[in-house]
Amino acid sequence: MLNSQINRLINSSLSEIDPEIFDLINKEVARQSEGVNLIASENYAFKAVLDAMGTALSNKYAEGYPSKRYYSGCQFIDMIENLAIERLKKLYNAEYANVQPHSGAQANMAVYFAFLKPGDTILTMSLNCGGHLTHGSPVNFSGQFYNVVHYGVSRNNEMIDYDEVRELALKYKPKMIVAGASSYPRIIDSKIFSEIAKEVGAFFMFDMAHYAGLIAAGIYPSPITFADFVTSTTHKTLRGPKGGIIIAKGHYSKDIDKSVFPGVQGGPLMHVIAAKAVAFKLATTQEFKEYQRKVVNNAKIFAQTLKEEGFRIVSDGTDCHMFLVDLKNTGLTGKDAEEILNSVGIYVNKNVIPFDPQPPRITSGIRIGTPAITTRGFEEEHVKELAKLVSLVLKDKSKVDYVRQKVKELSILFPVYNIS
Ligand code: DSN
């Protein structure tokens, strides 16, 4: 092949080279703008974040850490990673940060591998009560490598029972206690967790993936001073790129760095690390703080409206960006509700609720989150309207066409990106 032909391929646009993928990307972008996204773990990343990700930084190998790389040519890469680290430390007032984990699951894995041995006991929240797969689920490495003891929520108020956590900690003497959740809508008291961990000589890890943006904005209590390690994703309430991070006390830095690389990962994704740096910068702005306040307010209004419509809200409300709806008295499963809402352009996920009689593929609940709609600009009145549409279509399937049209009209009011 001639050099000129090779150059032509390098410089051709995506639409020229691969119209099939180009078309599917455009369809997905359109889906994201036309529908209404209530999936609590999703969001629309800042455009500047997407810009940083779609760059030639993706070409660079940079195994190691700033000034200690295994490849040459890392002078700008070092500056980017250092900026990301410094911004993250400042954002959360942290002593140490690692921005290389490819995901939240790998951040958790790196912490476990640094401080636990196979067979060690960990005390974590059960998946059924809101915990995460990587918090010791039997189908995940964490449930297979470690001896897992779970705490849950109280049957009375569906909130964490700290007395139960303490009793379990005293009984099982875990090496690590893990807090944080993917479907727990209430405040998690890191101070109490850290006291219990100290009492039994355990490490305390807080997985703040869901709450990271709220914590950065100061409207959800920060675990940073209480936890030995804080892990997170960067793409949920934080609105950065898909990825993970670890924050910790300074004296853990060497063990964690070693565990991330070369322990569980190879080369860092530098285009994603640049995008993380952009997100950390944006998270310090007044607009971001105001956005997070609205996210929580919108979640409260949404939950309250559904409650007034007769739906039972798990734990009777929310303190954050999400809540769970118990569908047991509606004749619908979580799977049914997810499918009905999907058919009108509203995206939610079925979700187990505490003491759920249904298996995870069916469930008795749905999880509703407001980060994405708030990014698009939904105000209280739109949230109320949306909640009523959700209620209407779940109560009466014959209203599907009417609700689909209304969802479309609502959605058109809030374009996502000024790009196609
Ligand atoms: N998949 C995420 C969520 O939906 O909460 C957790 O990793």
Side-chain angles (χ1 to χ4, degrees):
M1 195 183 270
L2 295 174
N3 271 348
S4 60
Q5 283 174 300
I6 295 172
N7 279 343
R8 186 180 63 77
L9 287 185
I10 286 176
N11 287 307
S12 296
S13 66
L14 178 61
S15 60
E16 285 172 90
I17 294 276
D18 196 337
E20 217 178 342
I21 286 292
F22 181 74
D23 179 51
L24 287 171
I25 291 173
N26 281 341
K27 284 189 168 130
E28 169 58 14
V29 173
R31 185 198 66 81
Q32 291 185 15
S33 332
E34 285 158 17
V36 167
N37 187 1
L38 296 174
I39 295 175
S41 49
E42 292 184 9
N43 209 332
Y44 301 97
F46 293 102
K47 163 92 167 42
V49 163
L50 299 183
D51 287 348
M53 268 196 288
T55 62
L57 292 181
S58 170
N59 299 337
K60 189 72 194 94
Y61 253 123
E63 277 151 314
Y65 289 97
S67 309
K68 289 173 277 179
R69 304 285 186 185
Y70 287 82
Y71 294 84
S72 61
C74 286
Q75 61 270 40
F76 302 114
I77 293 297
D78 280 2
M79 289 160 90
I80 288 169
E81 185 163 347
N82 277 330
L83 263 180
I85 291 169
E86 287 315 310
R87 286 178 185 175
L88 178 56
K89 280 164 57 179
K90 194 165 162 220
L91 184 61
Y92 290 105
N93 202 12
E95 292 174 13
Y96 157 83
N98 188 308
V99 295
Q100 291 195 5
H102 300 330
S103 68
Q106 283 189 284
N108 290 349
M109 181 185 256
V111 171
Y112 294 159
F113 281 11
F115 302 100
L116 300 172
K117 297 213 167 18
D120 278 349
T121 299
I122 57 174
L123 177 60
T124 71
M125 188 175 219
S126 73
L127 195 62
N128 275 7
C129 290
H132 187 251
L133 272 178
T134 56
H135 299 178
S137 162
V139 294
N140 181 260
F141 80 93
S142 55
Q144 289 157 15
F145 285 13
Y146 307 113
N147 174 39
V148 182
V149 179
H150 283 313
Y151 58 88
V153 294
S154 140
R155 275 191 188 267
N156 296 336
N157 58 10
E158 296 167 311
M159 297 194 203
I160 295 172
D161 175 349
Y162 294 95
D163 291 334
E164 184 207 14
V165 177
R166 186 164 179 274
E167 273 165 32
L168 291 169
L170 288 169
K171 182 165 174 198
Y172 292 101
K173 298 273 186 288
K175 183 100 178 273
M176 188 180 290
I177 298 179
V178 179
S182 57
S183 55
Y184 183 69
R186 295 301 189 172
I187 299 287
I188 299 173
D189 194 327
S190 302
K191 185 165 182 285
I192 299 185
F193 268 108
S194 76
E195 286 164 3
I196 297 170
K198 277 202 187 83
E199 203 175 333
V200 299
F203 291 115
F204 173 36
M205 176 177 119
F206 192 104
D207 179 345
M208 67 169 181
H210 262 270
Y211 317 97
L214 312 182
I215 292 169
I219 54 169
Y220 190 94
S222 172
I224 306 294
T225 52
F226 300 114
D228 294 293
F229 329 107
V230 176
T231 57
S232 185
T233 52
T234 46
H235 49 271
K236 296 184 173 89
T237 45
L238 204 47
R239 280 174 68 183
K242 276 252 155 59
I245 48 172
I246 302 170
I247 292 165
K249 306 271 183 235
H251 57 280
Y252 296 124
S253 62
K254 281 205 175 74
D255 288 331
I256 295 175
D257 278 352
K258 223 167 49 185
S259 189
V260 173
F261 171 84
V264 302
Q265 290 187 179
L269 309 176
M270 287 312 307
H271 55 306
V272 177
I273 289 174
K276 287 174 185 172
V278 174
F280 302 150
K281 178 176 179 168
L282 287 165
T284 60
T285 59
Q286 203 44 50
E287 290 92 326
F288 185 82
K289 290 188 171 73
E290 179 56 16
Y291 159 73
Q292 299 293 347
R293 192 194 62 71
K294 282 190 172 174
V295 167
V296 176
N297 194 42
N298 281 346
K300 285 180 193 286
I301 287 165
F302 209 132
Q304 182 58 32
T305 310
L306 284 182
K307 195 175 152 187
E308 284 159 12
E309 292 284 322
F311 289 86
R312 194 183 85 78
I313 307 301
V314 170
S315 82
D316 201 32
T318 178
D319 300 321
C320 62
H321 61 294
M322 63 162 150
F323 61 93
L324 294 168
V325 185
D326 176 356
L327 297 164
K328 285 202 298 290
N329 62 0
T330 66
L332 295 172
T333 63
K335 183 168 180 281
D336 297 331
E338 179 186 296
E339 283 169 6
I340 293 168
L341 292 171
N342 187 66
S343 74
V344 298
I346 296 176
Y347 305 109
V348 301
N349 66 287
K350 58 182 165 297
N351 213 101
V352 284
I353 56 172
F355 316 105
D356 202 324
Q358 298 282 5
R361 282 182 192 279
I362 306 291
T363 81
S364 303
I366 50 173
R367 184 182 63 167
I368 290 185
T370 51
I373 56 169
T374 309
T375 297
R376 289 178 68 170
F378 278 56
E379 300 284 350
E380 285 188 25
E381 66 200 271
H382 312 110
V383 172
K384 280 186 192 155
E385 186 184 342
L386 182 59
K388 286 185 182 160
L389 290 171
V390 167
S391 165
L392 182 63
V393 77
L394 290 183
K395 285 176 182 164
D396 182 355
K397 263 172 83 176
S398 73
K399 294 288 194 304
V400 160
D401 289 336
Y402 169 80
V403 173
R404 188 186 299 116
Q405 181 55 31
K406 287 284 167 199
V407 168
K408 207 168 170 186
E409 285 167 21
L410 190 56
S411 197
I412 285 167
L413 297 177
F414 302 99
V416 182
Y417 295 114
N418 298 326
I419 50 173
S420 61

